[in-house]
Amino acid sequence: MASKGAGMSFSRKSYGLTSDTEKSRVTGIVHEKLLNDYLHRVFSSPDHAPTAATSRKPLNFQNLPEHLDQLLQVDSEEEESQGQVEGRLGPSTVVLDHTGGFEGLLLVDDDLLGVIGHSNFGTIRSTTCVYKGKWLYEVLISSQGLMQIGWCTINCRFNQEEGVGDTHNSYAYDGNRVRKWNVTTTNYGKEGRLVEKESSEWQLQGQPTVLLTLAHIFHRFAPLLRKVYLVESVLTSFLLGVMEAGTPTQAQAVVRQVLDLLWLFMEDYEVHDCLKQLMMSLLRLYRFSPIVPDLSLQTHYLRLTIAILRHEKSRKFLLSNVLFDVLRSAVFFHIKSPLRVEEAGLQELIPTTWWPHRSGREGKDSKEVQDETAEERLRRRAYERGCQRLKKRIEGLACLAWVGCGPQCSVPHPHPVVEELQVQILKLLLNNKDDNGGEASRYIFLTKFRKFLQENANGRGNIPLLCPPEYMVCFLHRLISALRYYWDEYKASNPRTSFSEEAYVPPQVFYNGKVDYFDQQRLGGLLSHLRKTLKDELASKANILIDPLELQAATMDDLDEDEEPSPAAAQRPMQALAIGGALPLPRPSWLSSPTLGRANRFLSTAAVSLMTPRRPLSTSEKVKVRTLSAEQRTREDIEGSHWNEGLLLGRPPEEPEQPLTENSLLEVLDGAVMMYNLSVHQQLGKMVGVSDDVNEYAMALRNTEDKLRRCPKRRKDILEELTKSQKVFSEKLDHLSRRLAWVHATVYSQEKMLDIYWLLRVCLRTIEHGDRTGPLFAFMPEFYLSVAINSYSALKNYFGPVHSMEELPGYEETLTRLAAILAKHFADTRIVGTDIRDSLMQALASYVCYPHSLRAVERIPEEQRVAMVRSLLAPYEQRPWAQTNWILVRLWKGCGFGYRYTRLPHLLKIKPEDANLPSLQKPCPSLLLQQHMADLLRQDPDVAPSFLNSVLNQLNWAFSEFIGMIQEIQQAVERLERNFVDTRQLKVCATCFDLSVSLLRVLEMTITLVPEIFLDWTQPTSEMLLRRLAQLLNQVLNRVTAERNLFDRVVTLWLPGLESVDHYPILVAVTGILVRLLVHGPASGTEKATSVLLADPCFQLRSIRYLLGHPEPPAPGTALPAPDRKRFSLQSYTDYISAEELAQVEQMLAHLTSASAQAAAASLPTSEEDLCPICYAHPISAVFQPCGHKSCKACINQHLMNNKDCFFCKATIVSVEDWDKAANASATSSAA
């Protein structure tokens, strides 16, 4: 009964459940007689005969088991039931329920038969329930007004706005207005939803309610449902049975009803424990379930998980307290790899195995892949068909089953078995439409997701809850699918937004403080430093002011002098907080309590908003921002409002005004990028190890089969051992090939490749948009550049050869955009982190190693290409130079003298089958970039001297270090005691050798492209550069070509780690430089180069003869060399050096032989006094002013490039003048 204007708030605690004998036995909805009648009716005798109420034993939960035992007896006595009418529950006299179930202020008579309402629309129930038949009721109305009377189910929820007839589960009649009510009003007499009216009789439709019994059941068993063993063995099994028994719609409805009952009849803390144990049970079942062929167990557990998460109240509780706080919820998104192929049914799916066969040799005419035989081709095709069957089993259309598309859909759908169900879970967690009476699931997920990322990034969270990399990979792929679904769904309803294919993270997210990046490094350094140094740019470009208090707390320093003091800041014009509106007035003291929690913070924001009318900020107003943690933010901080842009606060002028999508999806996208950086890329690389194992066992099997063919038949013992080895290798390969198929289906499939490719394109757009903001680009976290680099590397190296990156849509455009980013930012001054700068440099070096990516570099705008080459030619002393030099070498490889090999020739001769030896890419020189380099060296007079001087300095250092290390290695080997050479020392030694070779190749490229830098002596530095070059070349030749010298002895030791150290790579590089200077140059240049080379005291003609294998004439008194000793000669490498190049070497040798003889005949003895006191190699030719000290021009010119002080007296040198001894002597005598 209800009087208009009030309602009833139904609460389970109003039932007053009790079994005390002192309580009234006729009041309240639930009492002993009602329970007794209902239990007798539910657990009646087998013949369903009515039993007499006077003779039957009262039933309750204490004696119910005894009653059941009696019913199971064959000779049980029949009991008569009298005095109880079928279809009615409750006391014989209907009275009002004053103990519970009412709403509003009501005055009930002592006899419980009359009621007076003293509030607006109060509601009260009676103590009787009817569920079958036809019933009459009579009520006396004692006053006028709007009143409704009728029937309701126990599920009704009343409040002060809705009473009986205003809800779906109630029906009422209003005699004043002569209308019936069931949510909507209709004329009197029309059929209602819950009851039918025949004359003055009312018939209730439906099944009998069991809520009364459930109230007692939950009162007794709710504490037990908190126990893990009971939940796992009873409740979980029951719910799994429900999912199996009914149709998808029915199963979903039953699970929802069960959860409704849990929340209705149990205390909140009991429901919380029960749900936590339920999810833990499901997670354990899913995690440890065997990998059966059809994955039915995993599918079954995921279906129940989805059904539970569809319940809104349960989902929000689990999100807030369980999924990320107690459980490692990423387990639900993982498809584990089978430890044994038998358990996954891989033998049935892939009956025929196959593995690739690789060629083991490289050479001039060798092929990388052998031709397949007909048998191998059939096996490969059968294996590929099996892989497709496995792929369909995991993620394809496997069967007709439940997708969970909604209760209105009854059509079976073909569905992806496991992965689509996992995506469905994330779709439920990302739902933002369930904000009725609380926070939407998506915003709870964002808070927990950010904390999840922070714990995994820092490694300081709860160790059992840190996400393993293999889980993170699957989690990322499912998250991308769910994210793109909601992104495109929002685009469908908001045409002005963008599709997910155009997604990126706007740059203002990185500096407006709405997203917490915790300890993630920014491109420009520490966040506090950036906010202090770039505060003016933030104010001018983004209308943002950094909160001075936060800045002071972060830096622990005073504010700059130009920062306004706090009193002036209080009088500043309109400024807004990051949480929302403007604050023109001081903050009220009652809002300043440090104990304010999130709720109080929300109230304080609302109170401040009431003080100041909401309005959009003008362009002249600045927004004061401060960093908010994930727990501090509200929905308005993320999505914004009509006066606050939320995550997009501080939009720079370069960004478009129209939004991309919902702001919350932008944060999910940002988290997905961070996930890849945390551990996904590392795990993708780790899974490639399965493919490496296949290659190793395949090679071992081929070697064993080859030995079997060569083994004599009489050696049965050897044949037996080889046959056993062959069987072991074959079985292992069968296992690995099937496991490799599983890895390709779950980790390296085409769909997974598209996810990584989409993430790469997101990072590229984000970097491009951030770059347009100028200095604010420094706020971007480093991991965006890292993910762009690593995702490209994964697509290129990890997903092949099954899937090729060239098949991806927009492949060429993506390569070009990534090339532009690497070319621009590898020397970007806005990027200060050493690690990320090295990563960019290494990525660019790798990029120019492959033809496709090198062509992409050549497709970027010319201005960017020239800027990139200019950065590569910057002096080496100012930055890490090894990677830069390697990039220049890659641009030249294929054009140099004998520089067309893919692997060092001596390595192919020594160990052609060793897979661990370094294998170089095929030469792919860039003539376009070489031309840019030549233009810059010609046109800019300052670039060439500084660049070449740094190259010569580094060559001198690298080769000197190499010689010093091999001396230590030789000494350690010659000691009598047992010594072990440190492997790190060997690696450093080999690295110095490789650096020396690469530096020589860069010099060869420079001389080839711009020979006038060395040969045009009208330029002030040409002669000095040529003399330094000749000096270094002679030193290298003398050290490497001497008979039975240190270099020769170390090379013949064949030490592990020094495989790349050999005569060929370094001598060919030196030969290329000499040929360019002495053969290809103009006559005048050749003459200058010859004179400089011969004038160097270290020049030895025997070193040039050594190149062609000519023996050195024996010194007087020494024995002739052994005739069988193998000598080095360029003529032995005809596969790598052309006949034309060999002819040029012969021409160079003849030229130097002739020039050396002429120089020896024309040379005059020089006294020691006339030699340069610095090098003692050249005559004195320069005098310093004003001190008057002397040296040769080469020494002083080289010295002045780095220092202006005199060698001898440290006086500052003002000028250098030519000095000739004869001219100076004649001038002195004339003066005398």
Side-chain angles (χ1 to χ4, degrees):
M1 180 182 296
S3 59
K4 199 64 179 176
M8 171 190 171
S9 178
F10 188 83
S11 174
R12 63 186 179 88
K13 300 175 181 62
S14 301
Y15 285 107
L17 301 181
T18 181
S19 58
D20 296 341
T21 56
E22 293 82 3
K23 298 292 182 181
S24 172
R25 302 172 64 87
V26 295
T27 61
I29 293 180
V30 180
H31 48 73
E32 294 183 6
K33 185 176 186 305
L34 187 150
L35 178 63
N36 173 65
D37 294 342
Y38 190 77
L39 290 177
H40 270 290
R41 196 160 294 279
V42 173
F43 303 105
S44 59
S45 58
D47 55 1
H48 301 285
T51 58
T54 57
S55 61
R56 68 187 182 187
K57 182 179 179 181
L59 270 181
N60 51 44
F61 288 106
Q62 284 74 18
N63 56 19
L64 181 59
E66 181 183 353
H67 177 70
L68 294 177
D69 293 337
Q70 294 177 359
L71 292 179
L72 294 176
Q73 296 177 4
V74 179
D75 56 345
S76 60
E77 299 180 357
E78 297 181 356
E79 296 182 325
E80 299 286 333
S81 176
Q82 299 179 359
Q84 181 68 40
V85 181
E86 185 177 8
R88 179 183 184 278
L89 294 176
S92 57
T93 302
V94 179
V95 295
L96 298 174
D97 180 19
H98 74 292
T99 61
F102 60 88
E103 179 68 27
L105 181 58
L106 302 172
L107 181 60
V108 183
D109 294 345
D110 293 338
D111 57 4
L112 304 180
L113 297 176
V115 61
I116 301 175
H118 288 277
S119 65
N120 191 28
F121 206 59
T123 304
I124 192 170
R125 301 172 186 254
S126 65
T127 58
T128 301
C129 170
V130 295
Y131 58 89
K132 186 178 181 181
K134 299 181 180 181
W135 301 93
L136 299 174
Y137 65 85
E138 181 180 355
V139 176
L140 175 63
I141 306 298
S142 301
S143 63
Q144 297 181 355
L146 300 179
M147 286 177 281
Q148 297 171 192
I149 187 171
W151 302 86
C152 69
T153 69
I154 202 166
N155 287 327
C156 280
R157 301 290 187 272
F158 298 132
N159 53 46
Q160 294 189 0
E161 297 296 333
E162 295 179 344
V164 63
D166 297 328
T167 65
H168 289 282
N169 295 329
S170 64
Y171 179 91
Y173 169 64
D174 183 354
N176 189 5
R177 291 173 289 187
V178 196
R179 300 182 68 83
K180 59 181 289 187
W181 296 80
N182 179 231
V183 181
T184 59
T185 180
T186 57
N187 293 329
Y188 172 80
K190 188 175 181 178
E191 288 187 352
R193 291 180 58 185
L194 300 180
V195 294
E196 294 179 355
K197 179 177 181 299
E198 298 178 4
S199 182
S200 59
E201 299 177 348
W202 302 84
Q203 181 175 2
L204 186 68
Q205 305 295 319
Q207 300 298 324
T209 180
V210 296
L211 293 183
L212 302 176
T213 303
L214 289 174
H216 277 280
I217 292 176
F218 279 101
H219 180 65
R220 301 282 181 178
F221 292 105
L224 297 178
L225 290 178
R226 301 174 59 193
K227 306 298 182 182
V228 57
Y229 55 86
L230 190 62
V231 171
E232 187 164 350
S233 62
V234 178
L235 182 59
T236 305
S237 301
F238 167 74
L239 294 177
L240 289 173
V242 169
M243 301 302 296
E244 291 179 350
T247 63
T249 304
Q250 292 173 342
Q252 178 67 49
V254 171
V255 173
R256 183 174 60 251
Q257 291 173 359
V258 170
L259 294 174
D260 284 337
L261 292 174
L262 293 179
W263 286 101
L264 177 64
F265 290 108
M266 295 173 63
E267 296 290 342
D268 287 346
Y269 70 92
E270 295 172 341
V271 183
H272 295 169
D273 290 344
C274 179
L275 288 176
K276 183 179 77 172
Q277 300 298 340
L278 179 60
M279 293 305 295
M280 292 179 66
S281 173
L282 282 174
L283 185 139
R284 283 192 294 268
L285 290 171
Y286 178 82
R287 180 181 180 184
F288 298 109
S289 57
I291 306 295
V292 296
D294 58 354
L295 300 176
S296 58
L297 294 177
Q298 288 79 5
T299 303
H300 196 42
Y301 302 139
L302 290 175
R303 287 179 55 195
L304 178 55
T305 304
I306 292 174
I308 295 172
L309 292 177
R310 285 187 180 276
H311 189 266
E312 179 180 332
K313 191 172 183 180
S314 301
R315 176 174 69 249
K316 291 184 178 180
F317 163 73
L318 292 172
L319 255 178
S320 301
N321 303 279
V322 177
L323 291 181
F324 288 95
D325 297 277
V326 179
L327 301 180
R328 187 181 285 167
S329 55
V331 173
F332 283 117
F333 311 116
H334 179 234
I335 301 178
K336 66 180 181 180
S337 176
L339 298 178
R340 299 182 301 274
V341 297
E342 296 81 3
E343 67 175 345
L346 296 183
Q347 289 180 331
E348 293 77 13
L349 290 172
I350 311 175
T352 303
T353 58
W354 172 85
W355 47 87
H357 295 272
R358 294 183 177 179
S359 175
R361 294 186 64 87
E362 288 186 68
K364 185 175 180 180
D365 299 321
S366 65
K367 296 182 179 179
E368 293 187 357
V369 181
Q370 296 178 347
D371 295 333
E372 285 184 327
T373 64
E375 181 183 359
E376 289 176 345
R377 189 179 302 109
L378 291 176
R379 288 184 60 189
R380 177 173 58 81
R381 292 176 179 175
Y383 177 75
E384 291 174 350
R385 289 193 297 270
C387 293
Q388 288 298 321
R389 288 192 294 269
L390 175 63
K391 184 173 181 294
K392 291 180 180 180
R393 179 68 55 84
I394 295 176
E395 61 181 11
L397 304 180
C399 60
L400 291 179
W402 171 55
V403 181
C405 53
Q408 304 300 326
C409 182
S410 59
V411 181
H413 296 277
H415 79 292
V417 178
V418 176
E419 293 189 359
E420 180 58 31
L421 295 178
Q422 295 171 333
V423 174
Q424 288 285 337
I425 292 177
L426 278 172
K427 288 180 181 179
L428 291 172
L429 301 184
L430 289 174
N431 182 14
N432 67 334
K433 304 293 193 300
D434 56 349
D435 55 350
N436 298 325
E439 196 173 15
S441 298
R442 179 181 298 177
Y443 305 102
I444 304 175
F445 175 84
L446 286 178
T447 301
K448 298 298 180 179
F449 183 51
R450 210 70 197 175
K451 183 179 178 182
F452 165 82
L453 294 175
Q454 182 177 4
E455 291 176 348
N456 284 273
N458 299 336
R460 294 194 295 266
N462 189 359
I463 300 301
L465 298 182
L466 294 181
C467 187
E470 59 271 21
Y471 296 172
M472 193 80 82
V473 173
C474 298
F475 189 10
L476 175 66
H477 287 297
R478 312 304 179 263
L479 183 64
I480 289 176
S481 299
L483 170 62
R484 299 191 66 178
Y485 167 81
Y486 278 113
W487 194 299
D488 292 330
E489 182 185 60
Y490 188 77
K491 166 66 178 177
S493 58
N494 298 270
R496 295 185 59 192
T497 58
S498 63
F499 287 103
S500 62
E501 277 297 332
E502 305 165 357
Y504 69 93
V505 180
Q508 57 265 42
V509 174
F510 306 133
Y511 55 74
N512 62 17
K514 296 302 182 69
V515 177
D516 184 10
Y517 288 99
F518 24 96
D519 296 332
Q520 295 296 307
Q521 188 73 12
R522 307 300 181 104
L523 293 178
L526 295 176
L527 179 61
S528 58
H529 170 74
L530 292 175
R531 286 185 165 180
K532 189 172 183 179
T533 57
L534 298 178
K535 60 180 182 294
D536 294 336
E537 286 77 4
L538 286 172
S540 60
K541 294 179 69 68
N543 287 336
I544 281 181
L545 293 177
I546 304 299
D547 190 345
L549 296 178
E550 180 174 330
L551 186 61
Q552 184 176 6
T555 60
M556 300 299 293
D557 293 325
D558 294 334
L559 298 175
D560 290 342
E561 294 181 359
D562 57 338
E563 190 73 36
E564 298 180 36
S566 55
Q571 300 174 2
R572 224 176 263 155
M574 291 285 186
Q575 294 177 353
L577 288 173
I579 57 175
L583 278 179
L585 299 178
R587 182 179 178 87
S589 58
W590 57 274
L591 294 178
S592 301
S593 171
T595 60
L596 285 176
R598 188 174 184 182
N600 287 343
R601 177 184 172 278
F602 174 78
L603 292 175
S604 65
T605 306
V608 171
S609 301
L610 291 176
M611 297 181 209
T612 305
R614 295 181 178 181
R615 59 179 181 80
L617 293 171
S618 65
T619 57
S620 62
E621 294 175 338
K622 310 299 182 185
V623 182
K624 183 186 296 184
V625 299
R626 56 187 176 88
T627 302
L628 298 176
S629 64
E631 293 80 3
Q632 291 176 319
R633 296 181 307 173
T634 63
R635 177 171 182 169
E636 190 175 276
D637 290 323
I638 299 174
E639 299 293 357
S641 61
H642 66 282
W643 56 279
N644 178 20
E645 294 181 283
L647 284 185
L648 301 182
L649 180 69
R651 179 179 60 84
E654 296 83 3
E655 279 297 294
E657 295 185 4
Q658 61 270 21
L660 291 171
T661 184
E662 295 175 280
N663 292 354
S664 53
L665 296 181
L666 293 176
E667 184 171 347
V668 176
L669 176 59
D670 177 78
V673 176
M674 190 184 298
M675 282 181 65
Y676 186 90
N677 182 67
L678 291 179
S679 57
V680 171
H681 181 74
Q682 176 187 2
Q683 181 64 19
L684 289 177
K686 181 180 179 181
M687 298 303 292
V688 180
V690 180
S691 179
D692 295 337
D693 292 341
V694 170
N695 295 328
E696 291 180 5
Y697 277 98
M699 183 178 296
L701 179 62
R702 287 196 298 271
N703 293 336
T704 304
E705 292 174 345
D706 183 61
K707 293 177 182 178
L708 275 172
R709 287 191 297 268
R710 293 185 286 106
C711 182
K713 294 184 178 180
R714 64 178 184 275
R715 297 301 304 269
K716 295 182 179 180
D717 53 340
I718 299 178
L719 287 174
E720 183 180 356
E721 292 298 326
L722 290 175
T723 304
K724 290 181 180 179
S725 300
Q726 183 187 26
K727 181 180 179 181
V728 170
F729 292 146
S730 298
E731 292 177 352
K732 188 65 176 180
L733 276 171
D734 290 341
H735 170 81
L736 288 176
S737 62
R738 293 188 176 103
R739 189 172 177 215
L740 184 62
W742 181 278
V743 172
H744 283 157
T746 56
V747 181
Y748 299 124
S749 66
Q750 181 71 20
E751 291 74 15
K752 309 301 184 301
M753 188 177 189
L754 288 173
D755 286 345
I756 304 301
Y757 183 61
W758 180 78
L759 210 61
L760 166 62
R761 292 168 67 90
V762 166
C763 291
L764 295 182
R765 295 189 202 95
T766 302
I767 295 169
E768 290 169 350
H769 282 262
D771 181 42
R772 297 170 191 165
T773 61
L776 299 184
F777 178 63
F779 282 95
M780 179 179 291
E782 286 184 354
F783 64 77
Y784 273 90
L785 280 172
S786 298
V787 171
I789 296 170
N790 292 333
S791 58
Y792 166 74
S793 175
L795 292 170
K796 180 169 62 73
N797 299 321
Y798 298 162
F799 287 86
V802 179
H803 305 290
S804 174
M805 188 178 178
E806 299 177 9
E807 302 171 358
L808 296 172
Y811 164 73
E812 296 290 342
E813 178 199 359
T814 302
L815 279 186
T816 305
R817 294 170 66 181
L818 179 56
I821 289 174
L822 295 177
K824 181 174 183 179
H825 296 298
F826 84 95
D828 194 342
T829 56
R830 296 172 296 181
I831 302 175
V832 301
T834 303
D835 292 340
I836 190 62
R837 290 176 69 90
D838 288 345
S839 298
L840 287 168
M841 187 78 70
Q842 294 171 7
L844 184 59
S846 175
Y847 219 71
V848 298
C849 288
Y850 301 90
H852 288 292
S853 52
L854 181 58
R855 300 291 89 83
V857 175
E858 295 177 345
R859 287 195 300 269
I860 66 178
E862 181 178 359
E863 181 182 357
Q864 295 185 16
R865 294 198 306 268
V866 173
M868 179 191 74
V869 176
R870 185 183 297 275
S871 298
L872 292 174
L873 297 179
Y876 283 4
E877 288 81 0
Q878 301 176 7
R879 55 194 168 84
W881 55 271
Q883 297 93 337
T884 303
N885 194 79
W886 173 246
I887 296 173
L888 294 174
V889 169
R890 291 302 308 176
L891 300 180
W892 177 245
K893 188 174 184 179
C895 299
F897 183 91
Y899 202 32
R900 293 174 293 277
Y901 51 80
T902 56
R903 180 179 291 182
L904 291 173
H906 69 281
L907 295 182
L908 294 177
K909 297 178 181 179
I910 298 170
K911 298 179 180 179
E913 302 295 334
D914 194 343
N916 295 324
L917 293 181
S919 179
L920 304 178
Q921 298 299 323
K922 290 184 177 180
C924 51
S926 174
L927 300 180
L928 179 60
L929 297 179
Q930 290 178 21
Q931 186 59 44
H932 289 325
M933 177 179 174
D935 294 340
L936 285 172
L937 292 175
R938 285 193 186 100
Q939 296 169 5
D940 194 331
D942 298 328
V943 171
S946 60
F947 169 68
L948 291 174
N949 186 61
S950 63
V951 171
L952 293 172
N953 288 340
Q954 300 303 334
L955 175 59
N956 183 37
W957 170 85
F959 191 73
S960 300
E961 287 291 320
F962 167 71
I963 295 299
M965 289 184 179
I966 63 175
Q967 288 175 349
E968 295 178 2
I969 293 172
Q970 179 64 23
Q971 292 172 3
V973 171
E974 292 177 350
R975 293 193 186 102
L976 296 178
E977 63 271 15
R978 188 176 182 85
N979 291 285
F980 295 93
V981 182
D982 189 2
T983 56
R984 291 175 297 179
Q985 184 180 6
L986 295 175
K987 291 181 180 179
V988 173
C989 180
T991 301
C992 290
F993 178 80
D994 294 337
L995 288 175
S996 301
V997 174
S998 63
L999 289 165
L1000 288 169
R1001 287 297 184 180
V1002 170
L1003 289 171
E1004 179 191 14
M1005 175 173 61
T1006 306
I1007 294 172
T1008 304
L1009 297 176
V1010 197
E1012 59 268 25
I1013 295 179
F1014 293 90
L1015 302 179
D1016 183 8
W1017 285 9
T1018 60
Q1019 301 180 14
T1021 59
S1022 295
E1023 182 182 358
M1024 182 271 296
L1025 291 174
L1026 183 59
R1027 291 186 184 279
R1028 288 200 64 195
L1029 176 63
Q1031 180 184 9
L1032 288 173
L1033 293 180
N1034 285 325
Q1035 290 179 3
V1036 172
L1037 284 173
N1038 293 339
R1039 289 285 190 175
V1040 176
T1041 61
E1043 294 288 348
R1044 295 175 296 278
N1045 67 347
L1046 178 64
F1047 182 87
D1048 199 25
R1049 290 196 298 271
V1050 171
V1051 168
T1052 56
L1053 290 175
W1054 308 115
L1055 295 176
L1058 294 182
E1059 291 89 352
S1060 61
V1061 178
D1062 190 70
H1063 294 81
Y1064 180 84
I1066 194 166
L1067 289 181
V1068 171
V1070 173
T1071 304
I1073 297 175
L1074 293 175
V1075 168
R1076 296 295 176 181
L1077 289 173
L1078 303 176
V1079 177
H1080 291 287
S1084 59
T1086 301
E1087 181 180 355
K1088 293 175 183 177
T1090 304
S1091 63
V1092 170
L1093 188 65
L1094 296 178
D1096 187 82
C1098 299
F1099 174 76
Q1100 298 180 17
L1101 188 59
R1102 66 161 183 81
S1103 299
I1104 308 301
R1105 294 194 185 101
Y1106 184 92
L1107 299 176
L1108 294 173
H1110 296 174
E1112 180 182 356
T1118 60
L1120 295 174
D1124 57 344
R1125 186 177 183 274
K1126 188 175 181 181
R1127 302 181 58 84
F1128 173 84
S1129 175
L1130 296 178
Q1131 297 173 349
S1132 304
Y1133 296 90
T1134 55
D1135 290 343
Y1136 306 95
I1137 302 176
S1138 64
E1140 180 183 1
E1141 290 174 331
L1142 289 174
Q1144 293 171 359
V1145 179
E1146 294 279 3
Q1147 181 182 351
M1148 178 186 68
L1149 176 59
H1151 171 73
L1152 288 177
T1153 302
S1154 173
S1156 178
Q1158 295 176 6
S1163 62
L1164 297 176
T1166 303
S1167 64
E1168 186 175 349
E1169 296 178 355
D1170 297 333
L1171 291 178
C1172 172
I1174 303 302
C1175 64
Y1176 284 95
H1178 307 290
I1180 295 174
S1181 57
V1183 60
F1184 317 152
Q1185 298 297 337
C1187 63
H1189 289 106
K1190 307 175 188 66
S1191 73
C1192 67
K1193 288 184 178 180
C1195 289
I1196 187 57
N1197 288 338
Q1198 179 181 350
H1199 177 70
L1200 290 178
M1201 295 191 72
N1202 303 309
N1203 198 332
K1204 301 300 182 182
D1205 296 338
C1206 175
F1207 290 110
F1208 309 100
C1209 64
K1210 304 302 180 184
T1212 301
I1213 299 175
V1214 177
S1215 63
V1216 177
E1217 299 176 357
D1218 294 339
W1219 187 84
D1220 183 81
K1221 181 178 180 181
N1224 186 68
S1226 61
T1228 303
S1229 61
S1230 299

